[in-house]
């Protein structure tokens, strides 16, 4: 079971590492992922309330707070905050702290450093006689700064007591040491005045560090304020998604319309949507009609006309019209909630590169404290001066920045996944985002991925003297009574071109001719629809149409001839068309250095035609679902990092096997659940866009990590006094400013991803068919055990097939018989060759073909 916990008290990567270690050590916990940026934890555990309580207790014992986040409609748990609410609260708190700190730190710095710079001083504080008054004034000005920033001391010393020091521990030790040392010097000054020892008085006055203590806290708070502002912008993507959902809905209750909060809508309720309003939940239209803008969900810019029976999605907008709908999915079950959940889970997950940073951060603070202690002892031994030794030790404590290390990866991942969501690319995990950067082989399913997934009319050829309307009238009249998949495409085209063209056409003696097509009397005249064999058998001459049909067939299309009164009217070609962006998508992938492979269960001729149009490097036809998975595995074993792109149930095994599974958003739920990335726009060009986004994000992460490590590697030795022989030393105040702005730099660099845009799409360079490697392979399916099962080959005579879609239906039906390992269907010969286990009965094969709507017998 996976649940989200809100964590309080974390300030740096050492904190998140400590919380993750504490939660992961509780029995019953499988995995804990802590996100410093979101102050949350994703916990996979056994679901027991006792385990959840033990996790909260373990985190609290480590010095932090934890509470389980509520699910929609659940009571007894802390409700989830709106994205950005925590950031807004942090910005407000840091702003208040900064204002108070600045009010007191400016005069503190003036009175402490004024004498050194020759600035005029108040008479009450000037001169040797007023040194004690000057020290007391610095103490009074420093005290409010210490108080308003007390959380650094509370958290820092508490985590130190739990032996889990964090960034606050470094700040607390540095500023507390400065303040405590200064208080001690103030007492020493008072003693010197009483003893009349002016030398000791001046020495003690020059050893006051109240200004350092105050300025350290003020500058760090300034950096934290800018950091909080920058971090708040990283949640913009999720907040924008949540803002799509309307706040209220109009429902019908007790016979009247009532406006209620969207979260109060119940499944089964009748919801009213008017023009200009957003659809509040997912459901089905019951009454009315409207044009709905679905661009926010699908990316489709043209509004969709909805009528009773159509499904509508929450967060879409009714542009015109009115309709009543039945709520089918509400709350966390809506499509929008699922998108938000995917984005949120992705930003909460950890990329492999982030786990490395976490391991470094886990030991960073103790190592820094040890370095500071060694530096203090070394300078005390070398210089014999406590003040000098303390200055170097404090500089090391306040300049070290584990926070930058902890923010380097999650900020870039959050912004990167947000940009993906804004472009219709849902990335389910940070690991998928990182892996996509290294993909060098992309395997694409054909149907529904590269092609539209539904047959459409692509070409119309007319016999001289025949009008298109006459051809389509006869075609629609015949095909309207057919259940063949191609019939629907022809009727839809006829309705689009000439609505009602076949209205009133009397159709009699309708007959399906096995292996040929359709025959009927249309308006009293004999009419035919089908292949060349049917036309030849009925004495219909085709003339030049026959040659054009051959060319269209070579292009992967299915030509159908139509005749009336014994005379040919024309030909209509139907095919599953290639998506407009497929060729550009392949060109972009090849430009990025990725090898492209088209994998399909279709016949070689169809696959070759699609390959020629889109320009893939390799096409493999005639494969079973399990063989798709085997091909992906074969590429992985050859050393490739493989992305699989698909949309159907048959693609799920390959999607799960691939290093990165990419599902088309219009695909099946099984495919989407098996994938790591979901393309909501169902555009193959978004495959290249996802890879570009991954590379941009990983480049940003590496820049952030380099800065975080480089900064600490350079600044800590300088703070320790490594350059002192050359007169270069580091004041603690400068160190505090550098530490604060190191985190700001990392977050600001990550925010540059907000301006990222996909690369310009290059012109398609589709490879000629002669240059494409077209093969029909029987990729071996992995055996269930080590024993080879005996197989046999059987040939069936199949009648009733007229086109490649019929071939696909027969092939699919036979593949569904248990024990069948491969099927090859020959349309021209009217046969199906089956390789199957010896136990497969002939009757089972014949029955499968008959159930698909064809006739069969064993040869």
């Amino acid at each position: 079971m996976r649940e989200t916990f809100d964590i309080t008290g974390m300030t740096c990567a050492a904190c998140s590492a400590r919380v993750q270690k504490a939660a992961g050590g509780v029995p019953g916990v499988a995995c804990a992922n802590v996100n410093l940026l979101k102050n949350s934890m994703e916990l996979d555990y056994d679901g027991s309330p006792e385990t959840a309580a033990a996790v909260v207790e373990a985190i609290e014992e480590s010095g932090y707070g934890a509470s389980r986040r509520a699910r929609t409609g659940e009571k007894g748990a802390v409700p989830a905050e709106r994205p950005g609410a925590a950031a807004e609260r942090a910005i407000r708190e840091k702003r208040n702290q900064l204002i108070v700190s600045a009010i007191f730190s400016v005069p503190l710095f003036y009175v402490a450093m004024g004498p050194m710079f020759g600035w005029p001083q108040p008479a009450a504080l000037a001169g040797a006689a007023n040194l004690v008054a000057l020290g007391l004034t610095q103490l009074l000005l420093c005290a409010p700064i210490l108080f308003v920033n007390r959380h650094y001391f509370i958290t820092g010393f508490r985590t130190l007591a739990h032996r889990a020091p964090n960034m606050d521990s470094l700040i607390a030790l540095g500023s507390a040491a400065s303040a405590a040392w200064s208080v001690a010097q103030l007492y020493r000054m008072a003693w010197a005045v009483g003893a009349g020892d002016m030398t000791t008085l001046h020495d003690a006055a020059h050893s006051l560090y109240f200004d350092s203590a105050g300025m350290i806290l003020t500058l760090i708070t300034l950096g934290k304020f800018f950091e909080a502002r920058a971090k708040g912008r990283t949640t913009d993507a999720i907040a924008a998604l949540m803002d799509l959902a309307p706040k209220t809905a109009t429902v019908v209750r007790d016979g009247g319309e009532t406006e209620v909060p969207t979260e109060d809508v119940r499944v089964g309720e009748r919801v009213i949507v008017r023009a200009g309003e957003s659809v509040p939940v997912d459901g089905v239209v019951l009454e009315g009609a409207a044009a709905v803008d679905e661009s926010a969900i699908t990316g489709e810019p043209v509004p969709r006309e909805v009528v009773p029976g159509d499904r509508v999605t929450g967060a879409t907008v009714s542009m015109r019209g009115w309709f009543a709908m039945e709520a089918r999915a509400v709350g966390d079950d809506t499509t929008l909630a699922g998108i938000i959940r995917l984005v949120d889970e992705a930003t909460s997950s950890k990329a492999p590169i982030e786990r490395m940073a976490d391991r470094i951060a886990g030991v960073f603070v103790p190592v820094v404290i040890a370095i500071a202690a060694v530096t203090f002892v070394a300078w005390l031994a070398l210089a014999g001066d406590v003040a000098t030794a303390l200055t170097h030790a404090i500089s090391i404590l306040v300049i070290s920045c584990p926070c930058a290390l902890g923010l380097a990866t999650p900020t870039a991942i959050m912004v990167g996944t947000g940009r993906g969501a804004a472009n219709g690319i849902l990335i389910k995990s940070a690991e998928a985002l990182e892996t996509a950067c290294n993909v060098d082989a992309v395997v694409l399913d054909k149907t529904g991925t590269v092609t539209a997934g539904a047959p459409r009319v692509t070409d119309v050829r007319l016999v001289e003297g025949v009008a298109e309307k006459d051809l389509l009238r006869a075609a629609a009249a015949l095909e309207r009574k057919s259940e063949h998949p191609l019939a629907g495409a022809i009727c839809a085209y006829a309705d689009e071109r000439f609505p009602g063209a076949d209205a009133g056409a009397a159709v009699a003696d309708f007959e399906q001719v096995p292996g040929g097509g359709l025959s009927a009397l249309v308006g009293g005249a004999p009419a035919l629809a089908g292949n060349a064999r049917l036309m030849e058998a009925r004495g219909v001459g085709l003339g030049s149409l026959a040659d054009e049909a051959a060319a269209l067939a070579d292009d992967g299309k299915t030509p159908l001839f139509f005749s009336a009164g014994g005379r040919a009217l024309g030909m209509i070609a139907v095919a599953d068309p290639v998506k407009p962006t497929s060729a550009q998508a392949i060109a972009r992938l090849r430009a990025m250095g990725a090898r492209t492979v088209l994998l399909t269960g279709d016949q070689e001729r169809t696959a070759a035609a699609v390959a020629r149009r889109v320009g893939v490097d390799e096409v493999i036809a005639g494969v079973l679902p399990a063989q798709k998975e085997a091909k992906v595995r074969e590429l992985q074993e050859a050393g490739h990092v493989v992305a699989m792109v698909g949309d159907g149930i048959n693609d799920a095994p390959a999607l799960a096997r691939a290093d990165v599974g990419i599902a088309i958003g219009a695909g099946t739920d099984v495919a989407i659940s098996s994938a790591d990335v979901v393309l909501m726009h169902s555009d193959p060009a978004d495959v290249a866009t996802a890879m570009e986004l991954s590379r941009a994000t990983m480049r940003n992460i590496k820049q952030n990590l380099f800065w975080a490590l480089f900064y600490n590697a350079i600044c800590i030795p300088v703070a320790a006094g490594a350059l002192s022989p050359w007169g270069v030393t580091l004041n603690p105040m400068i160190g505090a400013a550098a530490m604060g702005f190191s985190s700001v730099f990392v977050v600001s660099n990550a925010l540059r991803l907000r301006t990222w845009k996909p690369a310009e799409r290059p012109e398609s360079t589709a490879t000629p068919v002669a240059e494409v490697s077209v093969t029909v392979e029987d990729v071996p399916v992995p055996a269930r055990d080590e024993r080879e099962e005996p197989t046999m080959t059987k040939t069936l005579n199949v009648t009733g097939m007229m086109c490649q879609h019929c071939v696909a239906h027969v092939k699919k039906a036979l593949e569904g018989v248990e024990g069948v390992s491969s099927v090859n269907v020959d349309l021209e010969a009217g046969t199906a060759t089956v390789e199957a286990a010896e136990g497969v009965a002939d009757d089972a094969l014949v029955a499968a073909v008959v159930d698909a709507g064809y006739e069969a017998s064993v040869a």
Side-chain angles (χ1 to χ4, degrees):
M1 180 178 182
R2 169 171 288 190
E3 288 194 305
T4 303
F5 286 71
D6 292 311
I7 308 298
T8 58
M10 296 192 301
T11 56
C12 70
C15 298
S16 59
R18 178 64 178 175
V19 171
Q20 187 163 309
K21 182 178 180 181
V26 175
V29 173
C31 179
N33 276 328
V34 178
N35 190 297
L36 172 65
L37 189 63
K38 296 166 62 181
N39 290 312
S40 66
M41 175 180 68
E42 295 293 326
L43 189 74
D44 287 323
Y45 70 113
D46 56 17
S48 168
E50 290 77 14
T51 303
V55 168
V56 171
E57 183 179 353
I59 293 173
E60 290 176 347
E61 288 179 355
S62 299
Y64 305 91
S67 58
R68 187 171 67 84
R69 187 178 296 175
R71 294 184 292 272
T72 300
E74 182 185 357
K75 296 182 178 180
V78 178
E81 282 189 312
R82 176 181 59 84
E88 291 170 3
R89 188 169 58 251
I91 293 171
R92 188 168 55 253
E93 291 174 355
K94 292 302 176 187
R95 182 189 295 115
N96 293 338
Q97 291 175 18
L98 180 60
I99 291 172
V100 174
S101 299
I103 288 173
F104 290 96
S105 61
V106 171
L108 173 59
F109 184 81
Y110 185 89
V111 299
M113 304 300 292
M116 181 183 300
F117 294 109
W119 296 338
Q121 295 288 307
L125 303 179
N130 295 315
L131 286 177
V132 174
L134 178 64
L136 288 172
T137 301
Q138 292 183 38
L139 173 61
L140 292 174
L141 290 171
C142 183
I145 301 174
L146 297 175
F147 177 78
V148 77
N149 293 289
R150 61 190 179 279
H151 69 278
Y152 291 121
F153 301 98
I154 295 172
T155 304
F157 288 123
R158 183 174 61 203
T159 56
L160 195 60
H162 285 94
R163 292 181 297 179
N166 62 1
M167 185 195 69
D168 287 347
S169 302
L170 299 179
I171 298 170
L173 285 173
S175 55
S178 298
W181 171 260
S182 299
V183 170
Q185 296 307 305
L186 194 57
Y187 275 101
R188 186 176 168 215
M189 290 170 65
W191 175 86
V193 170
D197 187 347
M198 300 305 293
T199 301
T200 301
L201 176 63
H202 281 88
D203 181 62
H206 285 94
S207 298
L208 293 176
Y209 283 99
F210 285 121
D211 56 328
S212 293
M215 290 301 293
I216 285 172
L217 295 173
T218 301
L219 291 170
I220 286 175
T221 301
L222 176 63
K224 288 293 182 182
F225 170 67
F226 285 124
E227 179 186 324
R229 287 181 57 185
K231 286 166 66 176
R233 296 168 64 191
T234 64
T235 61
D236 285 354
I238 296 178
L241 287 172
M242 295 193 74
D243 288 341
L244 291 174
K247 302 297 183 289
T248 60
T250 303
V251 299
V252 177
R253 292 180 181 175
D254 301 325
E257 295 184 8
T258 305
E259 189 173 278
V260 299
T262 301
E263 55 267 23
D264 290 345
V265 177
R266 298 187 293 268
V267 173
E269 281 196 304
R270 188 181 179 93
V271 181
I272 306 299
V273 181
R274 295 179 173 83
E277 295 181 348
S278 294
V279 180
V281 295
D282 296 358
V284 175
V285 177
L286 299 175
E287 180 185 355
V292 178
D293 180 4
E294 299 181 325
S295 58
I297 302 297
T298 66
E300 178 59 47
V302 180
R304 180 171 69 97
E305 298 291 336
V306 297
V307 295
D310 289 346
R311 297 188 65 86
V312 287
T313 305
T316 56
V317 180
S318 175
M319 305 302 293
R320 63 178 182 273
W322 172 98
F323 65 90
M325 58 176 282
E326 179 187 343
R328 293 285 182 87
V330 301
D332 285 347
D333 297 326
T334 64
T335 300
L336 178 64
I339 294 173
I340 294 171
R341 187 163 53 250
L342 284 175
V343 176
D344 191 49
E345 288 175 356
T347 58
S348 298
S349 61
K350 288 183 183 291
I353 195 171
E354 185 177 358
R355 298 189 184 103
M356 177 198 72
D358 285 348
R359 287 194 295 271
I360 296 173
V363 298
F364 183 84
V365 175
V367 169
V368 168
I369 293 175
I371 292 173
V374 170
T375 300
F376 179 81
V377 173
W379 275 103
L380 192 61
L382 292 173
D385 181 7
V386 176
T388 301
L390 192 63
T391 297
H392 287 294
I394 292 172
S395 295
I396 290 173
L397 292 172
V398 298
I399 203 171
S400 304
C401 190
C403 197
L405 196 61
L407 292 171
T409 301
T411 49
I413 287 175
M414 179 164 281
V415 178
T417 51
R419 286 302 300 161
N423 284 273
I425 301 169
L426 300 185
I427 302 168
K428 292 186 178 181
S429 69
E431 185 170 359
L433 185 65
E434 179 175 344
T435 305
C437 173
N438 301 314
V439 166
D440 59 4
V442 179
V443 178
L444 303 105
D445 174 54
K446 181 183 74 67
T447 307
T449 301
V450 175
T451 64
R456 298 177 187 172
V457 172
T458 59
D459 300 88
V460 177
R461 298 288 186 269
L462 301 171
V463 172
E464 187 176 353
V466 176
E468 183 183 7
K469 185 174 183 179
D470 294 334
L471 170 63
L472 293 179
R473 179 178 180 274
L478 281 166
E479 300 289 358
R480 195 80 69 182
K481 291 183 175 293
S482 174
E483 297 179 354
H484 195 280
L486 301 187
I490 292 173
C491 291
Y493 179 77
D495 292 341
E496 180 183 350
R497 292 282 294 138
F498 304 103
D502 61 322
V507 180
D509 298 336
F510 179 82
E511 177 189 1
Q512 295 194 19
V513 182
L518 305 173
S519 171
L521 293 176
V522 179
L528 297 173
N531 56 26
R533 289 198 304 270
L534 175 64
M535 298 297 164
E536 183 180 352
R538 299 296 176 94
V540 178
L542 298 177
S544 61
L545 286 179
D547 294 334
E548 291 192 53
L552 291 171
D554 287 337
D555 207 21
K557 302 173 183 178
T558 301
L560 297 174
F561 302 97
F562 295 88
S563 71
R567 175 173 174 265
L569 297 176
M571 173 181 63
I572 299 176
V574 182
D576 182 7
V578 172
K579 291 181 179 179
T581 58
S582 292
Q584 289 182 336
I586 300 301
R588 289 173 64 190
L589 290 171
R590 295 179 72 178
M592 296 169 68
R595 177 176 178 78
T596 53
V597 180
L598 186 67
L599 208 58
T600 177
D602 277 354
Q603 297 295 307
E604 177 182 349
R605 175 185 264 181
T606 304
V610 174
R612 180 173 62 252
R613 293 178 186 175
V614 300
V616 293
D617 295 306
E618 180 183 5
V619 56
I620 302 174
V623 294
L624 297 173
Q627 293 172 334
K628 291 183 179 182
E629 185 270 343
K631 180 59 182 178
V632 171
R633 182 158 41 83
E634 178 185 312
L635 288 169
Q636 290 173 325
E637 290 172 352
H640 291 287
V641 179
V642 183
M644 171 68 195
V645 189
D647 71 325
I649 293 175
N650 60 339
D651 298 319
L655 288 169
R657 163 65 66 179
D659 297 288
V660 181
I662 303 176
I664 297 295
T668 64
D669 291 340
V670 175
I672 291 173
S673 64
S674 301
D676 303 301
V677 178
V678 181
L679 307 181
M680 292 301 296
H681 297 171
S682 300
D683 186 348
D686 285 341
V687 176
T689 301
M691 290 174 58
E692 290 171 358
L693 176 61
S694 170
R695 294 182 180 185
T697 304
M698 289 308 300
R699 185 163 55 247
N700 191 281
I701 288 174
K702 290 174 181 177
Q703 290 168 355
N704 286 346
L705 288 174
F706 171 79
W707 167 257
L709 295 172
F710 174 80
Y711 164 85
N712 284 291
I714 295 298
C715 292
I716 290 177
V718 173
L723 300 181
S724 293
W726 294 275
V728 178
T729 58
L730 201 62
N731 187 284
M733 287 184 285
I734 297 175
M739 192 273 270
F741 283 94
S742 175
S743 298
V744 174
F745 175 87
V746 165
V747 178
S748 299
N749 187 51
L751 287 175
R752 289 192 308 109
L753 282 172
R754 286 162 53 97
T755 62
W756 175 87
K757 293 181 180 179
E760 291 294 327
R761 299 183 177 185
E763 291 296 323
S764 169
T765 54
T767 308
V769 67
E771 297 179 15
V772 177
S773 171
V774 181
T775 59
V776 180
E777 293 186 7
D778 285 328
V779 182
V781 180
R784 295 183 181 274
D785 53 40
E786 296 179 354
R787 296 169 295 177
E788 290 291 336
E789 188 175 0
T791 60
M792 59 182 181
T793 301
K794 296 184 178 183
T795 302
L796 280 71
N797 293 321
V798 182
T799 57
M801 296 190 297
M802 293 183 292
C803 64
Q804 291 297 332
H805 287 85
C806 296
V807 170
H809 290 158
V810 172
K811 181 180 175 68
K812 184 177 181 180
L814 290 171
E815 289 174 352
V817 178
E818 186 175 356
V820 172
S821 57
S822 69
V823 179
N824 185 31
V825 181
D826 190 326
L827 176 62
E828 297 298 329
T831 61
T833 305
V834 180
E835 185 174 333
E838 285 187 349
V840 177
D842 294 346
D843 292 344
L845 299 174
V846 172
V849 177
V850 171
D851 289 343
Y854 305 89
E855 296 179 7
S857 61
V858 178

